[in-house]
């Protein structure tokens, strides 16, 4: 690392911000000339015609690789980031795009991967998904075209596909400079493609590092039958805006048709469900996600992690308090060091001990991190808690003893999580709230929770929203702010080597924090009409009770002693999901309603009733995602 502000590496080591030599034994070191590295583009034939122009699609793979190993007959591994964003919305906190010289040769590569890793003996390959930037074809938002775009480049790197020197025509090009070992990395859509390619089991893919990534596209656009109000064809049109004029209207029409408005899980979503294909994964997986990510919601990392565990995949995970943020922008020095050692181990085969380190690293307070031997925490066990009626209608206690009676609320489609949570002692016409007493010792929620609600609707359509809330004062990252938990300064640090047009230096970031009186730690939404199946709605009969179980977001959160853990159930969370056609009154059967939480610690069976603070409480307001970046 070079620091433009003059801060020396010795100071960073003393502050514990970079690995000491002892921790970084057996590491690759910069030894190759970055300015003299080979920069080239190879167009790889996908063997399919996604845009219907009569020609097989070709995807552009822009490559930076050290010249010296190839000249000596040595072969290098590849770090790959396959993305649809290189000419549309850009990459990274500073919105970088690919750039080219007058002859079309690649010059500027977004992010620091090439600057840092090429001098250490890696090649960096940035792939334009079909239908984006300089690739032909069409994107299909996580489907076969997207996944094949990256998978076929891995095949080409291993001699199983054909590459060319031009977008059309040209001469054949072979990858005789690589040993075929590939590690995929990327945030959001890019990391999602890494998940999808890993789920094919392609030979040569040794590891993936999905950052804030989707594991099932259904869970990006839908939630247990409920819809978030946006669809994949809109994203396709955004990323195809600079694709050279290819006509992708037919493919986009298929996306619009397949993403049915009723929220059912159908064939389009099944094709894009990598969790269902996790049995094929052979690559190791290093996951990073913000537990407050309201763009790629955290159920995506939780279900992926669990499916990989069932398959015995080697895994590692970082969980931050941020929203949709790359760890390079909230824990930079430690991330670069850890990523370096991860790739050295998985792609170079170096025995640096990273496989023996704690599996999970979790941010407990802003910039305060704790290691865990496992995720979910090894002491966490599924604990069922029940709502119990109190003296205030719709407000009661939460404990291990079963409740009784009924309570009603009305879906007004005007309220959301913050208005529901802000005054926990007050009755509300649009939600019910049940809380433990002040905890005598901390409890840890670690893993994926689920809620079962038995409700009688007054109309033929109904939505359900549920959330777990930690009531008590805290300082957290301001994940609903413009930086989703970070601020960006003006001073820069440099991570790797510079070359003309390819800068390794990035603005420093810090934690954006806020003080709150409660923290929403997990959320979930559902369409009650999907109580029998996510694949097909069932007609609801007004006045008849229905039971539905649905998932809450995966997390790892410690509720401190003295705080309270609460369950809130409402109808339409207007800040998240679309409302039903006919807004119902919902009557909840407390005896048949419960929440199942992976919990380390003890919650009383029947906590004594304690009055919660009067009046609205402070919280960081939630927000809807703008786009998948």
């Amino acid at each position: 690392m070079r620091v433009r502000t003059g801060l020396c590496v010795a100071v960073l080591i003393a502050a514990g911000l970079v690995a000491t030599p002892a921790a970084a034994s057996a590491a690759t070191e910069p030894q190759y000339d970055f300015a003299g590295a080979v920069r080239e583009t190879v167009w790889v034939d996908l063997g399919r015609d996604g845009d219907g122009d009569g020609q097989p699609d070709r995807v552009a793979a822009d490559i930076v690789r050290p010249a010296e190993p190839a000249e000596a007959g040595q072969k290098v591994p590849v770090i790959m980031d396959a993305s649809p964003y290189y000419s549309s919305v850009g990459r990274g906190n500073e919105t970088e795009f690919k750039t080219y010289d007058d002859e079309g040769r690649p010059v500027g590569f977004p992010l620091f991967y090439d600057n840092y890793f090429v001098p250490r003996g890696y090649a960096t390959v940035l792939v334009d998904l079909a239908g984006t930037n300089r690739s032909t074809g069409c994107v299909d938002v996580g489907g076969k075209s997207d996944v094949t775009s990256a998978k076929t480049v891995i095949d080409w790197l291993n001699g199983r596909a054909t590459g060319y020197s031009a977008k059309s025509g040209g001469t054949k090009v072979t990858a005789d400079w690589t040993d075929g070992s590939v590690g995929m990395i990327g945030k959001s859509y890019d990391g999602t493609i890494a998940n999808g390619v890993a789920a094919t089991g392609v030979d040569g893919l040794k590891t993936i590092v999905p950052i804030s990534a989707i594991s099932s596209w259904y869970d990006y656009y839908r939630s247990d039958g409920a819809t978030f109000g946006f669809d994949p064809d809109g994203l396709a049109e955004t990323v195809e805006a600079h694709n050279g004029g290819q006509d992708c209207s037919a493919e986009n029409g298929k996306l619009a048709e397949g993403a049915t408005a009723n929220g059912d899980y159908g064939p389009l979503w099944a094709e894009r469900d990598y969790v269902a294909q996790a049995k094929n994964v052979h690559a190791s997986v290093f996951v990073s996600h913000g537990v407050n990510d309201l763009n790629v919601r955290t159920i995506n990392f939780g279900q992926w992690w669990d499916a990989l565990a069932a398959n015995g995949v080697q895994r590692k995970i970082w969980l931050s308090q941020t929203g949709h943020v790359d760890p390079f922008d909230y824990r930079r020095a430690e991330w670069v060091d850890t990523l370096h050692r991860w790739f050295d181990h998985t792609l170079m085969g170096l025995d640096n001990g990273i496989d023996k380190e704690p599996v999970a690293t979790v941010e407990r307070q802003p910039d305060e991190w704790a290691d865990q031997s496992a995720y979910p925490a090894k002491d966490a066990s599924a604990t069922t808690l029940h709502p119990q009626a109190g003296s205030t209608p719709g407000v009661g206690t939460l404990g291990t003893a079963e409740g009784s009676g009924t309570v009603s609320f009305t879906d007004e489609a005007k309220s959301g999580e913050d208005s529901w949570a802000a005054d926990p002692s007050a009755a509300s016409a649009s939600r019910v709230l049940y809380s433990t007493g002040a905890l005598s010792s901390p409890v840890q929620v670690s893993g994926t929770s689920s809620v079962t609600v038995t409700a009688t609707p007054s109309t033929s359509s109904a939505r359900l929203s549920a959330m777990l809330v930690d009531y008590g004062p805290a300082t957290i990252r301001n994940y609903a702010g413009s930086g989703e938990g970070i601020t960006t300064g003006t001073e820069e640090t440099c991570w790797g080597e510079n070359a003309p047009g390819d800068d390794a230096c990035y603005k420093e970031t810090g934690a954006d924090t806020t003080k709150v009186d409660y923290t929403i730690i997990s959320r979930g939404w559902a369409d009650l009409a999907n109580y029998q199946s996510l694949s097909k709605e069932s007609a609801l009969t007004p006045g008849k009770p229905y039971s539905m179980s649905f998932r809450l977001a995966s997390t790892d959160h410690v509720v401190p002693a003295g705080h309270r853990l609460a369950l809130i159930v409402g109808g339409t969370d207007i800040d998240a999901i679309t409302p039903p056609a006919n807004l119902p009154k919902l009557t909840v059967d407390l005896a048949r309603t419960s929440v199942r939480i992976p919990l380390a610690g003890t919650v009383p069976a029947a906590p004594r009733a304690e009055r919660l603070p009067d009046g609205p409480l402070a919280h960081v307001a939630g927000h809807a995602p703008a786009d998948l970046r």
Side-chain angles (χ1 to χ4, degrees), residues 138-156:
C138 296
V139 297
D140 61 358
V141 190
K144 291 180 180 178
S145 178
D146 283 6
V147 172
T148 301
S149 294
K151 176 185 176 294
T152 307
V153 175
I154 296 175
D155 286 334
W156 172 71

Side-chain angles (χ1 to χ4, degrees), residues 67-135:
E68 296 91 338
E71 292 168 355
Q74 300 169 348
K75 298 181 184 296
V76 299
V78 169
I79 295 170
M80 177 190 294
D81 187 340
S83 176
Y85 289 144
Y86 289 127
S87 64
S88 53
V89 301
R91 305 311 300 127
N93 189 42
E94 298 180 32
T95 314
E96 293 184 290
F97 300 91
K98 285 182 177 179
T99 62
Y100 305 88
D101 65 18
D102 292 340
E103 296 182 12
R105 290 185 296 250
V107 174
F109 280 59
L111 308 175
F112 73 100
Y113 305 139
D114 62 319
N115 311 83
Y116 188 86
F117 286 105
V118 170
R120 288 169 167 81
Y122 294 85
T124 300
V125 178
L126 303 189
V127 179
D128 297 326
L129 296 187
T132 70
N133 199 21
R134 301 203 297 174
S135 293

Side-chain angles (χ1 to χ4, degrees), residues 37-59:
V38 176
R39 293 171 181 263
E40 60 186 338
T41 303
V42 175
W43 279 266
V44 178
D45 191 331
L46 298 187
R48 64 192 309 274
D49 182 12
D51 55 9
D53 65 355
Q55 299 295 324
D57 300 336
R58 290 184 183 181
V59 294

Side-chain angles (χ1 to χ4, degrees), residues 570-611:
T572 300
D573 177 351
I574 199 61
D575 295 323
I577 60 173
T578 59
N582 301 299
L583 296 173
K585 177 180 180 181
L586 289 154
T587 300
V588 178
D589 183 346
L590 297 182
R592 298 168 62 195
T593 295
S594 61
V595 61
R596 189 171 177 83
I597 306 173
L599 204 63
T602 302
V603 172
R608 64 185 179 87
E610 295 183 50
R611 186 170 180 82

Side-chain angles (χ1 to χ4, degrees), residues 106-250:
V107 174
F109 280 59
L111 308 175
F112 73 100
Y113 305 139
D114 62 319
N115 311 83
Y116 188 86
F117 286 105
V118 170
R120 288 169 167 81
Y122 294 85
T124 300
V125 178
L126 303 189
V127 179
D128 297 326
L129 296 187
T132 70
N133 199 21
R134 301 203 297 174
S135 293
T136 62
C138 296
V139 297
D140 61 358
V141 190
K144 291 180 180 178
S145 178
D146 283 6
V147 172
T148 301
S149 294
K151 176 185 176 294
T152 307
V153 175
I154 296 175
D155 286 334
W156 172 71
L157 291 166
N158 283 274
R160 301 187 298 265
T162 305
Y164 294 90
S165 60
K167 188 173 184 177
S168 61
T171 58
K172 291 184 179 180
V173 181
T174 60
D176 55 2
W177 45 266
T178 178
D179 63 9
S181 297
V182 179
M184 292 188 68
I185 188 170
K187 178 193 167 196
S188 200
Y189 201 139
D190 305 15
T192 301
I193 299 305
N195 285 342
V197 174
T200 70
V202 60
D203 186 34
L205 183 62
K206 304 299 183 183
T207 192
I208 62 171
V209 184
I211 302 166
S212 303
I214 296 167
S215 60
S216 170
W217 284 87
Y218 178 83
D219 293 301
Y220 183 71
Y221 288 103
R222 308 288 187 259
S223 176
D224 291 279
T227 68
F228 292 128
F230 50 98
D231 293 302
D233 55 307
L235 179 55
E237 291 170 0
T238 296
V239 300
E240 291 164 347
H242 303 280
N243 69 359
Q246 287 132 228
D247 182 4
C248 291
S249 57

Side-chain angles (χ1 to χ4, degrees), residues 418-449:
D418 294 306
S419 61
W420 291 342
D423 196 353
S425 290
S428 169
S430 59
R431 61 93 171 117
V432 294
L433 187 153
Y434 301 92
S435 169
T436 68
L439 297 172
S440 59
S441 58
V443 298
Q444 182 179 2
V445 180
S446 183
T448 304
S449 302

